[in-house]
Amino acid sequence: MCGIVGYIGDKKAAPILIKGLEKLEYRGYDSAGIAVIENNEIVTLKDKGRVKNLLKIDGMESLNSGIGIAHTRWATHGKPSAINSHPHSDKDKCFAVVHNGIIENYKELKEKLKNEGYTFISETDTEVIPNLINYYYLKEKKEDSKALLRAIRNACMDLMGSFAIEVISKEKPNEMIVIRKDSPLIIGKGENENYIASDIPAILPYTRNIYFLDNYEFAYIYKDRVDFYNKNLEPIKKETKEIKWDSSDAEKDGFPHFMLKEIYEQPRAVRETIGTTLDNDKIEIEGLELEREYLKTINKIYIVACGTAMYAGLTARKTIEHLCNIPVEVEVASEFRYNNPLIDEKTLAIYISQSGETADTIAALKLAKSKGAKTIAVANVIGSSITREADYSVYTHAGPEIAVASTKAYTSQITMLTIMAMHFAEILGTSSKNEIEELKKCLLSMPEKIEETLKVAERIKEFAKKIYNEKDVFFLGRGIDYPVCLEGSLKLKEITYIHSEGYASGELKHGPIALIDNGITVVSVITDKDLVEKSLSNVQEVITRGAKILLITNQNIEKKGFEELIKIPETNKFLSPILAIIPLQLLSYNIAVEKKLDVDKPRNLAKSVTVE
Ligand code: M6R
């Protein structure tokens, strides 16, 4: 959480920093600030509230400096306030620091520094960092060219937790030092200028040549070069990677919200995720070269992820078990980490993450690796932390997802995981050629079927107008439709703040049916033709108790008795979640719009959860 941006070059830093922060607001948006060096002094402007508030701060327009750091905050330690906003400085106002992450031992460090005469003005964990740097810098000989770097390194070695940090100092007004550990940070190489950010969209308008930092790598940044050092401050070489994303991918392109744009981008996201994987006789997935001999030894697959990514995993479990005949367990990363999971070298562990930066998912991956399992990361962001930890990395090609509520990443994840299941089944010979061929055909037609499904938008909008004031909404599904209901319910909660639950239809009568009351809205998803009758009888049970039903189905079911029936195209059962989720995404979106809520930045949430 929190987004950081930095600039060093010949242009004015402030407008670039603010523009960059706006692109990173999805990471946190309760306060923002920038610090630049003007006339050899650090000037810091910051306040509570959105990034756009920064423009109203006196003095912002007159900043001319070509070096600066900036931050948009998602509060962890200390409430949102001007004082707690970043950048933070040391007691002598010599250094300015922005930080994304959590310093777990900040209380201890604060005490130590207080005993040395340091004073603190904020409630944040971050404020210890500039003061620690000050503490170590005072021990250095200033004429030593590595004095500042060494002071920062020594300070970082005292920190426990996660951090991506940018530091500027009035002692070195034309230089910046950045470092990361378990929080993302990238450097964009320009012509006589360099850009720093937590995530690619912030620097996409300027460059596509990116350096990715690994844990405990320090970058000493000048306007015309970047020097890299390891933990021991030995110089290391790093190459840039070229990012293919278009800069317009990170803009709204005429849509009122990123979420709606991203819902409509799903045909392209799924098409690009399929890419060339199905072009040849045998399925090929770039980055995934697993031998038959190895796959044959696997007796269990774990799928681990958080939130929406985990729900994509629940769908994939059914596909993998069916096609590959290997038991699959799906677990939330934050639980998996502490459950002492039964893992050995016969376990294959798959980690799904749009951002590739989710702290719990990364920690869960490291755990499985340490117990001997092979690990696969399924990520959307190239070069993200998880892809650098995993044994194998495969990418969804959804493009940048900016809205906090995940949409196109989810359908791309199901797409990639289905391809992976087919690939394993092909290698293992656990599924018939016909079944794989039929799935291939259906997958290739998904982009068109998504386009067709999107045509329900107007009817969903009308339905949203009828129910936007509801207090509770239930989602019911069986089999392959159950995880879709969980995801549909999560979408509704996170952007409309309506209480909602997703249930397996058959489970309802074991308790939750007590909540069904006259007039309550129930969304039912029915796409598995073998389960239609059973699902319909569960729906009947709630209708009898007064529920209004929105039915999403690809079957020929009569509308009679339902408040609304939305027909979606038919496809292979294992791919139907990709289509069934679309009306549910649109439903949440339209309810949030009707309620005049901040669709792209719902309260209390951040796009990437980079803290535990
Ligand atoms: O970046 P990740 O896929 O690892 O993120 C996982 C979850 O935080 C994420 O899916 C979250 O649940 C979304 N806000 C859901 O829309």
Side-chain angles (χ1 to χ4, degrees):
M1 342 275 253
C2 302
I4 64 182
V5 186
Y7 174 77
I8 179 163
D10 293 328
K11 297 182 192 138
K12 274 191 186 188
I16 294 172
L17 296 173
I18 292 178
K19 233 169 125 187
L21 287 185
E22 278 167 352
K23 291 272 163 37
L24 295 186
E25 266 196 313
Y26 67 84
R27 303 177 65 86
Y29 33 84
D30 59 48
S31 33
I34 74 168
V36 298
I37 304 178
E38 297 260 326
N39 306 322
N40 290 340
E41 287 298 326
I42 291 176
V43 181
T44 302
L45 301 177
K46 56 186 190 174
D47 206 354
K48 187 174 125 166
R50 288 284 163 89
V51 170
K52 62 176 187 292
N53 293 355
L54 285 178
L55 296 167
K56 296 183 202 145
I57 300 182
D58 281 349
M60 185 60 81
E61 280 203 353
S62 54
L63 297 178
N64 289 314
S65 170
I67 176 168
I69 58 177
H71 188 270
T72 177
R73 181 168 185 247
W74 186 83
T76 55
H77 295 74
K79 61 182 180 306
S81 70
I83 293 275
N84 288 335
S85 312
H86 298 217
H88 288 282
S89 283
D90 57 307
K91 68 171 174 54
D92 300 327
K93 307 269 176 287
C94 185
F95 308 99
V97 167
V98 291
H99 161 226
N100 168 30
I102 288 185
I103 306 305
E104 288 164 3
N105 58 338
Y106 82 102
K107 284 191 182 143
E108 201 180 306
L109 293 170
K110 213 167 173 174
E111 273 320 297
K112 179 178 141 183
L113 288 165
K114 276 184 180 167
N115 291 337
E116 297 286 338
Y118 285 79
T119 50
F120 293 85
I121 55 171
S122 79
E123 302 158 281
T124 65
D125 51 343
T126 302
E127 203 184 352
V128 298
I129 303 172
N131 284 296
L132 261 184
I133 296 172
N134 174 306
Y135 170 80
Y136 283 113
Y137 191 68
L138 291 177
K139 297 183 186 299
E140 294 286 337
K141 290 197 181 72
K142 288 193 178 178
E143 54 286 1
D144 181 339
S145 64
K146 276 198 178 160
L148 178 59
L149 180 61
R150 204 162 27 241
I152 295 174
R153 192 277 306 261
N154 290 344
C156 288
M157 290 304 147
D158 284 353
L159 305 177
M160 284 168 63
S162 56
F163 47 86
I165 300 168
E166 294 173 337
V167 188
I168 51 172
S169 164
K170 66 179 189 180
E171 295 282 314
K172 304 275 178 196
N174 301 311
E175 296 157 25
M176 183 187 300
I177 294 175
V178 306
I179 180 200
R180 72 175 285 261
K181 188 212 156 230
D182 294 337
S183 288
L185 196 68
I186 55 164
I187 300 165
K189 185 173 175 292
E191 278 296 313
N192 238 13
E193 57 184 6
N194 286 302
Y195 298 85
I196 302 94
S198 304
D199 198 1
I200 297 164
I203 58 182
L204 215 47
Y206 315 107
T207 177
R208 274 179 198 75
N209 298 319
I210 313 278
Y211 292 110
F212 291 94
L213 283 185
D214 280 326
N215 277 349
Y216 286 114
E217 285 181 346
F218 294 80
Y220 206 125
I221 310 175
Y222 307 81
K223 71 174 184 184
D224 54 356
R225 72 170 207 271
V226 187
D227 296 339
F228 295 98
Y229 298 89
N230 65 14
K231 217 178 191 170
N232 304 320
L233 298 191
E234 293 150 349
I236 49 171
K237 277 218 160 320
K238 286 191 91 72
E239 299 296 332
T240 54
K241 270 196 188 155
E242 200 195 336
I243 295 299
K244 297 275 186 310
W245 291 353
D246 200 289
S247 80
S248 70
D249 287 347
E251 306 292 340
K252 281 192 207 142
D253 269 351
F255 282 90
H257 299 99
F258 278 112
M259 183 179 176
L260 190 63
K261 176 185 174 235
E262 289 160 7
I263 289 173
Y264 276 87
E265 278 175 346
Q266 291 179 108
R268 188 179 84 181
V270 166
R271 186 177 294 117
E272 293 190 358
T273 297
I274 297 170
T276 55
T277 53
L278 310 180
D279 280 5
N280 299 322
D281 242 17
K282 296 264 172 235
I283 293 165
E284 283 168 20
I285 304 177
E286 205 186 321
L288 193 64
E289 292 88 28
L290 292 174
E291 300 294 330
R292 181 164 194 272
E293 288 61 43
Y294 162 71
L295 277 178
K296 281 190 78 173
T297 64
I298 294 305
N299 60 16
K300 175 162 72 172
I301 294 180
Y302 257 119
I303 299 184
V304 183
C306 299
T308 290
M310 195 275 289
Y311 293 145
L314 286 177
T315 293
R317 164 166 63 193
K318 295 183 190 292
T319 319
I320 298 174
E321 287 189 337
H322 173 78
L323 294 181
C324 308
N325 219 6
I326 303 175
V328 180
E329 286 197 36
V330 184
E331 211 166 330
V332 168
S334 54
E335 287 296 309
F336 178 88
R337 290 177 69 173
Y338 300 108
N339 275 353
N340 201 11
L342 297 173
I343 295 172
D344 57 25
E345 58 292 342
K346 291 186 177 159
T347 314
L348 175 62
I350 303 175
Y351 295 81
I352 314 166
S353 175
Q354 186 284 129
S355 62
E357 302 295 346
T358 301
D360 281 320
T361 311
I362 296 171
L365 184 146
K366 288 182 186 166
L367 174 71
K369 217 170 154 183
S370 73
K371 290 183 172 228
K374 277 214 192 317
T375 56
I376 302 175
V378 180
N380 192 42
V381 179
I382 294 180
S384 53
S385 301
I386 204 164
T387 66
R388 280 174 282 146
E389 296 290 345
D391 295 308
Y392 304 92
S393 295
V394 302
Y395 289 101
T396 50
H397 296 282
E401 195 181 61
I402 310 288
V404 165
S406 186
T407 52
K408 61 176 179 169
Y410 169 76
T411 42
S412 302
Q413 283 157 354
I414 295 179
T415 303
M416 180 41 81
L417 291 160
T418 309
I419 298 171
M420 210 187 272
M422 290 156 65
H423 179 51
F424 293 162
E426 212 171 59
I427 297 175
L428 291 166
T430 43
S431 188
S432 73
K433 211 172 162 32
N434 281 353
E435 183 159 31
I436 301 280
E437 281 312 310
E438 129 89 1
L439 256 166
K440 268 192 198 175
K441 228 170 73 203
C442 289
L443 256 173
L444 290 168
S445 68
M446 279 327 260
E448 285 69 42
K449 294 207 164 160
I450 299 172
E451 298 277 8
E452 209 181 316
T453 310
L454 284 165
K455 292 184 186 149
V456 305
E458 267 314 303
R459 285 175 58 210
I460 291 286
K461 192 172 172 182
E462 287 313 307
F463 188 77
K465 282 185 187 155
K466 290 192 207 163
I467 67 155
Y468 74 97
N469 272 327
E470 298 286 295
K471 295 278 170 289
D472 308 279
V473 173
F474 290 84
F475 290 76
L476 301 186
R478 261 179 191 269
I480 199 77
D481 298 322
Y482 172 44
V484 178
C485 288
L486 295 175
E487 169 60 5
S489 167
L490 174 63
K491 286 287 90 77
L492 193 72
K493 284 180 203 120
E494 68 180 329
I495 64 165
T496 74
Y497 317 149
I498 294 176
H499 165 249
S500 140
E501 305 281 350
Y503 279 110
S505 313
E507 184 62 15
L508 203 70
K509 51 180 136 350
H510 298 283
I513 201 161
L515 296 168
I516 303 296
D517 207 354
N518 217 13
I520 207 156
T521 298
V522 173
V523 181
S524 161
V525 181
I526 304 180
T527 68
D528 183 344
K529 63 176 183 314
D530 297 328
L531 297 175
V532 175
E533 292 315 318
K534 284 191 191 312
S535 303
L536 279 177
S537 77
N538 296 133
V539 170
Q540 205 46 57
E541 287 160 7
V542 291
I543 291 180
T544 311
R545 285 158 181 86
K548 295 187 302 236
I549 308 291
L550 164 64
L551 177 65
I552 313 289
T553 186
N554 55 12
Q555 300 297 304
N556 289 323
I557 297 173
E558 229 191 297
K559 180 162 186 255
K560 212 165 124 218
F562 304 116
E563 187 78 13
E564 182 59 286
L565 186 153
I566 297 287
K567 189 84 191 288
I568 58 171
E570 253 197 287
T571 183
N572 181 287
K573 161 173 142 179
F574 296 105
L575 295 172
S576 66
I578 297 177
L579 303 178
I581 195 61
I582 288 169
L584 306 188
Q585 295 168 342
L586 286 165
L587 180 67
S588 296
Y589 171 78
N590 283 294
I591 292 177
V593 170
E594 236 8 90
K595 290 178 88 170
K596 301 196 173 26
L597 296 173
D598 193 340
V599 176
D600 288 335
K601 300 186 190 85
R603 72 183 179 203
N604 304 339
L605 292 175
K607 182 72 180 161
S608 325
V609 185
T610 54
V611 293
E612 189 177 347

